[in-house]
Amino acid sequence: VHTTWCKITEKLLLDKGSPKTNKLEQIKTLNLSRLALKSQDLPVRLLSRLQCLEQWDLSGNRLQELPKNLELPALRSLDLSDNQLEDVTTLESLSNLEELKMEDNLYITVSDNYKLMALLPKLRIHNGKDVSTTANHLRYVYTENLRTRIIAVWEKSFCLPDPITAEKMSALEKDFVNTARQQVKFGPSSVSDFTKWRVENIAKEYLHSLTEPKKEPESKESVDTKENCVRSRRMTCFNTLTPRKKLRADLPASPAEASPRKSSLRKLETLTQTSAVRMSPRKISQPPSTPTRGQTTPRRGNVMLLKSLLSPLLCYLPLSIFPSVHVSFLQQPVCLKPLHVLQCHSKQDSSEDFSTQLWACAFQPVPDFNGTGGGSRLVATCGGDSLCVIDCETGLVMKKYKVPGEEFFSLAWSTVLMSRGGGASAQHCSILAAGGKKGLVKLIHPRNNMAYGEFRASRKALSVLRFNHRQGNFLFTGSYDNKIVMWDIGGVDSQYNYKVVQLLVLEISATPLHICLPPTSPSSHLLTACEDGLHCYNTQLGTNNTKRSEEMEITFPIYKKEDEHHDYHTIDGLSFLTDDIVASKNYMHGSIYLWSWSRTKAQRPDKKDRTVCAVVLAELQWANTEIPYLALNTCPGRAYIVCGDDKGRLWTYHVNDLQKNSFQTGKPILPTEVLEWPTPVRKGIGQVEGPTINSVAMDPELHYLVALSDKNMVIVWKREKSS
């Protein structure tokens, strides 16, 4: 192929880049292929101005390496195929790289490919194939095995010199590294070059960690709340309670099955256009219109009419304020009106099914190039043997996925990379994970109607699923065998091939009901609300063994009121309202706590007692009920907290500003607004009484609110534009 050498100038970069602009800082895509470029032809200072560059094509040149210290923070995709590369370590500075092509570089070995996975923490697609699971195995599991062996070498034969001098440390490092390279044997011989290189790096890091000054611990904030907490052990009286709602833990364990295998591709069942009969509260006399989209007549058998003569009663309640705690909110609460009530999870599609419990719902995220973004009006719901994707505006069930014999308890959306083959760049796609009684995780790509696989996460039922919002291929599953497992589900290719790897196991003392990852540190900490309390775990990969026990337990003031008839340790609601403020709910306690994650964590439990008391900022009044598993949720974008009760009502709280003052006993803050049950009616049956609201979800801008009930009803509320 004919190539012509060109000197890299600002004019050339502007000509070869897009979008067309006169500023290098605005270029997002750059094609410098087949210009006969050598490594010395790439000017670091000039190229470093490409701060928004996302895709770079350098294929068909004569590069032996990239310039060292070339930092392009926005670069996601790089094509280095058909070059003469010999050293891949110079790519280390491209830390945000997700996709790399390196075919037809004759000197690149398997060990070099492994080095790339270790050097580039976000690399997912290599030569058109998804390598995220292999890469994360190398970064964490393989690395941890090497580190364990390296430490054993040190403890057996080495110690720090006394006194420590630069000359002695230099000699010690050389001796220690050489010994570790010789003695540490691990992994296949085909990648021995990679293993020795990795051992050398880890040995140097370990030696430096022994002499570096340890970081000062975070300063403890003086808090008076410890007196409000009782660090008592678990009471045994919980079993004497007789809640009216069936406990999920009472479900039979799933039978033992063989090791997880990839399931064959299956198409999602798409429900024939199912629409809610809609009637605007402001246009009572107007008959509901019939949707015209599609060729078939929408089925209305499983849809209820909102009783038009009884518009929802909106109770505007005053705000009671604690001493020293200031809460402010919008002058007018968000005005939500009921839009649809759907029965889309019915057994055998029967309109008489008012027993199927609906457990979890979540809005689909709309990814940007980072894999994160806002929300859409599509919401996924699960309950019984089915999972539905609903368009909140139209009330249409866009997709429906059924698994006979399953009972879904949890679902979660994520964004992963999908390689498309044929030289095309990988793209982000939204997927759904769902699990329940059978202990299997189903992986679904709703946009393409594909249920592309499944894997066994537990021998018992799954209670909760949660993705890492910063690293979308990391999935946490909580199960009734008292474990939380962290998985790398990788991405998918154009044929929907995928691979799942287990990365971490957290030993829990009871069934996990909710999992929350701190918004600012989702890769280092995990909070889990359990049947016996709220527990915190260190989830930083590569720093500890792959099986871990809790780092600390967080206790609450209500614990001091426990007696032989009341155990408040079950946390059945948990969600972050801001980067720091957490909303949580204790079963049978008619209040919701708002507390500070950073101030609570700063207390640092001692070795004997792992408990710390939550630094409570406020207490919100909620319903008086003994029904468990009524999950709250938050909308950080609108500073809203919402929790349903056992009468079909939604308790809403708008917390616009909360000063970080210590909690003081007093009258709880009343809700901003209580949305009454909209009282839908069924033909021939009459009014449907308010059910228990198991779960709620809101899109990031609170355009829609979705509530799930224990009587097979999905209720969609819509915010009026004026609010």
Side-chain angles (χ1 to χ4, degrees):
V1 179
H2 177 69
T3 59
T4 303
W5 180 84
C6 290
K7 183 179 181 181
I8 302 299
T9 63
E10 181 172 349
K11 181 179 184 303
L12 178 72
L13 295 179
L14 293 172
D15 288 342
K16 296 283 188 179
S18 66
K20 292 306 176 183
T21 175
N22 59 358
K23 293 183 179 180
L24 294 180
E25 291 76 9
Q26 295 177 351
I27 291 177
K28 292 189 175 182
T29 303
L30 181 62
N31 187 344
L32 297 182
S33 64
R34 309 207 176 279
L35 297 180
L37 297 174
K38 295 183 179 180
S39 300
Q40 58 267 32
D41 296 327
L42 298 178
V44 175
R45 181 173 295 182
L46 186 62
L47 292 171
S48 295
R49 292 172 56 188
L50 300 166
Q51 292 296 291
C52 289
L53 184 64
E54 297 172 15
Q55 295 184 335
W56 192 10
D57 187 349
L58 280 169
S59 62
N61 285 295
R62 301 173 186 172
L63 300 173
Q64 292 180 312
E65 62 181 15
L66 281 190
K68 294 181 180 179
N69 303 320
L70 177 61
E71 295 187 7
L72 299 170
L75 190 64
R76 301 289 185 272
S77 177
L78 176 62
D79 189 346
L80 287 171
S81 54
D82 191 16
N83 273 281
Q84 300 169 17
L85 290 169
E86 297 178 0
D87 183 9
V88 299
T89 61
T90 56
L91 274 67
E92 183 176 13
S93 60
L94 305 178
S95 57
N96 288 318
L97 204 62
E98 294 182 348
E99 182 177 11
L100 177 64
K101 296 178 182 177
M102 293 191 66
E103 297 104 331
D104 299 323
N105 281 274
L106 298 179
Y107 307 113
I108 296 299
T109 65
V110 175
S111 287
D112 288 320
N113 291 333
Y114 278 26
K115 288 180 184 179
L116 286 169
M117 297 178 200
L119 290 167
L120 302 173
K122 295 186 178 180
L123 184 66
R124 302 188 204 176
I125 306 294
H126 184 241
N127 293 340
K129 296 180 180 179
D130 184 280
V131 296
S132 52
T133 49
T134 303
N136 285 321
H137 179 81
L138 288 174
R139 292 166 189 154
Y140 306 120
V141 181
Y142 197 87
T143 295
E144 189 58 37
N145 275 299
L146 292 180
R147 183 178 286 110
T148 301
R149 287 164 169 77
I150 290 166
I151 294 173
V153 171
W154 170 266
E155 292 177 345
K156 179 181 179 182
S157 308
F158 294 90
C159 63
L160 291 173
D162 186 16
I164 295 177
T165 65
E167 186 178 351
K168 289 182 179 179
M169 287 301 298
S170 178
L172 175 62
E173 180 181 283
K174 184 177 180 181
D175 189 16
F176 174 48
V177 168
N178 286 338
T179 303
R181 280 170 57 95
Q182 292 172 7
Q183 294 187 5
V184 173
K185 306 293 182 185
F186 187 70
S189 58
S190 59
V191 292
S192 60
D193 180 57
F194 163 76
T195 302
K196 289 181 179 179
W197 172 81
R198 198 76 185 98
V199 166
E200 180 175 338
N201 291 337
I202 296 171
K204 289 179 180 178
E205 290 170 4
Y206 178 69
L207 184 56
H208 293 166
S209 73
L210 297 178
T211 57
E212 288 175 355
K214 293 188 177 180
K215 294 180 180 179
E216 290 294 319
E218 297 175 28
S219 59
K220 287 190 179 182
E221 300 185 37
S222 58
V223 289
D224 301 324
T225 55
K226 287 190 178 181
E227 297 176 3
N228 295 328
C229 285
V230 177
R231 294 178 174 180
S232 58
R233 290 297 89 202
R234 302 287 169 267
M235 298 193 178
T236 58
C237 63
F238 185 75
N239 292 332
T240 63
L241 300 173
T242 54
R244 285 172 285 158
K245 184 173 171 189
K246 184 179 179 182
L247 295 176
R248 289 190 289 181
D250 295 338
L251 291 163
S254 57
E257 292 184 22
S259 300
R261 290 191 178 90
K262 220 178 293 183
S263 64
S264 58
L265 299 182
R266 286 170 295 185
K267 288 200 172 183
L268 287 169
E269 298 179 31
T270 304
L271 196 65
T272 307
Q273 287 181 308
T274 305
S275 173
V277 180
R278 300 184 296 282
M279 186 168 286
S280 168
R282 291 175 297 175
K283 299 180 181 179
I284 295 174
S285 60
Q286 180 180 338
S289 59
T290 303
T292 57
R293 200 174 85 184
Q295 301 296 320
T296 57
T297 303
R299 292 186 293 169
R300 303 180 187 274
N302 293 2
V303 182
M304 288 175 284
L305 174 65
L306 294 175
K307 190 172 183 183
S308 56
L309 297 177
L310 291 176
S311 60
L313 175 63
L314 305 182
C315 301
Y316 294 90
L317 300 175
L319 194 68
S320 173
I321 299 178
F322 280 122
S324 79
V325 176
H326 173 68
V327 180
S328 67
F329 56 95
L330 294 175
Q331 291 183 350
Q332 290 295 326
V334 167
C335 185
L336 292 160
K337 298 289 185 181
L339 188 61
H340 310 292
V341 180
L342 305 173
Q343 274 185 292
C344 49
H345 292 269
S346 301
K347 298 171 184 173
Q348 286 84 46
D349 292 327
S350 169
S351 60
E352 306 304 316
D353 179 8
F354 284 90
S355 62
T356 296
Q357 296 221 41
L358 310 184
W359 287 112
C361 52
F363 278 84
Q364 178 188 15
V366 177
D368 56 22
F369 75 93
N370 281 321
T372 60
S376 72
R377 66 187 196 181
L378 293 180
V379 68
T381 61
C382 72
D385 64 359
S386 61
L387 182 150
C388 295
V389 179
I390 302 167
D391 184 316
C392 289
E393 181 61 34
T394 64
L396 294 174
V397 179
M398 309 304 291
K399 320 282 183 185
K400 186 171 183 180
Y401 179 63
K402 298 191 72 161
V403 180
E406 177 66 280
E407 184 169 0
F408 286 110
F409 291 147
S410 188
L411 57 78
W413 287 97
S414 190
T415 302
V416 300
L417 274 180
M418 185 175 191
S419 55
R420 295 182 289 173
S425 295
Q427 63 181 6
H428 290 100
C429 66
S430 292
I431 65 161
L432 263 174
K437 186 175 70 173
K438 291 187 174 183
L440 298 170
V441 173
K442 302 286 183 179
L443 298 174
I444 301 165
H445 186 200
R447 182 176 178 181
N448 285 1
N449 278 8
M450 299 300 295
Y452 67 88
E454 68 179 27
F455 66 94
R456 174 160 293 285
S458 174
R459 296 292 176 188
K460 293 194 175 181
L462 300 178
S463 55
V464 59
L465 279 69
R466 171 75 68 170
F467 279 100
N468 181 328
H469 53 270
R470 284 198 187 159
Q471 193 145 5
N473 50 309
F474 284 177
L475 172 67
F476 292 94
T477 60
S479 51
Y480 283 94
D481 57 359
N482 300 348
K483 285 186 176 70
I484 291 177
V485 181
M486 178 180 177
W487 307 87
D488 179 1
I489 66 162
V492 293
D493 63 18
S494 56
Q495 301 301 313
Y496 286 95
N497 294 309
Y498 70 100
K499 185 179 179 182
V500 177
V501 172
Q502 179 180 301
L503 296 176
L504 201 62
V505 177
L506 309 179
E507 301 287 350
I508 314 294
S509 53
T511 303
L513 303 177
H514 299 281
I515 292 172
C516 274
L517 307 178
T520 57
S521 56
S523 298
S524 59
H525 288 92
L526 176 146
L527 296 174
T528 178
C530 298
E531 295 275 8
D532 69 343
L534 182 59
H535 306 279
C536 175
Y537 289 80
N538 176 2
T539 56
Q540 187 73 50
L541 291 170
T543 60
N544 208 330
N545 54 28
T546 55
K547 288 190 177 182
R548 302 182 192 176
S549 55
E550 73 172 3
E551 189 173 63
M552 63 181 176
E553 179 188 353
I554 298 170
T555 62
F556 293 92
I558 188 63
Y559 289 1
K560 70 178 182 179
K561 296 183 179 180
E562 288 182 336
D563 54 34
E564 61 181 13
H565 300 296
H566 298 87
D567 185 340
Y568 298 106
H569 272 71
T570 295
I571 312 293
D572 58 354
L574 182 70
S575 184
F576 273 83
L577 177 65
T578 68
D579 286 352
D580 184 55
I581 297 175
V582 186
S584 65
K585 182 170 72 71
N586 297 60
Y587 166 55
M588 292 202 304
H589 178 212
S591 294
I592 294 169
Y593 283 125
L594 295 186
W595 50 279
S596 168
W597 160 241
S598 63
R599 294 172 69 184
T600 302
K601 182 179 64 170
Q603 293 177 82
R604 296 182 178 276
D606 57 43
K607 293 181 180 179
K608 293 183 180 179
D609 189 350
R610 290 182 175 268
T611 62
V612 298
C613 187
V615 179
V616 178
L617 306 174
E619 188 175 334
L620 311 178
Q621 180 182 308
W622 181 66
N624 227 342
T625 177
E626 293 188 358
I627 304 298
Y629 308 136
L630 307 187
L632 61 81
N633 211 333
T634 57
C635 180
R638 301 286 294 196
Y640 254 76
I641 304 167
V642 179
C643 189
D645 65 13
D646 57 345
K647 294 180 174 59
R649 299 175 298 185
L650 298 175
W651 298 61
T652 73
Y653 312 83
H654 179 243
V655 185
N656 197 37
D657 180 45
L658 185 61
Q659 292 181 356
K660 294 185 177 180
N661 293 303
S662 297
F663 165 73
Q664 296 182 6
T665 56
K667 193 174 181 180
I669 298 172
L670 298 176
T672 304
E673 180 180 30
V674 175
L675 301 176
E676 293 290 334
W677 173 243
T679 321
V681 294
R682 280 205 64 83
K683 188 176 180 180
I685 296 179
Q687 295 183 10
V688 178
E689 294 302 317
T692 294
I693 302 298
N694 286 343
S695 181
V696 295
M698 295 159 276
D699 68 282
E701 295 302 320
L702 195 46
H703 294 303
Y704 302 96
L705 183 151
V706 173
L708 304 186
S709 79
D710 67 341
K711 292 183 179 178
N712 188 30
M713 285 178 278
V714 178
I715 307 97
V716 180
W717 298 73
K718 183 179 181 180
R719 174 165 64 91
E720 293 197 332
K721 292 182 180 179
S722 59
S723 67

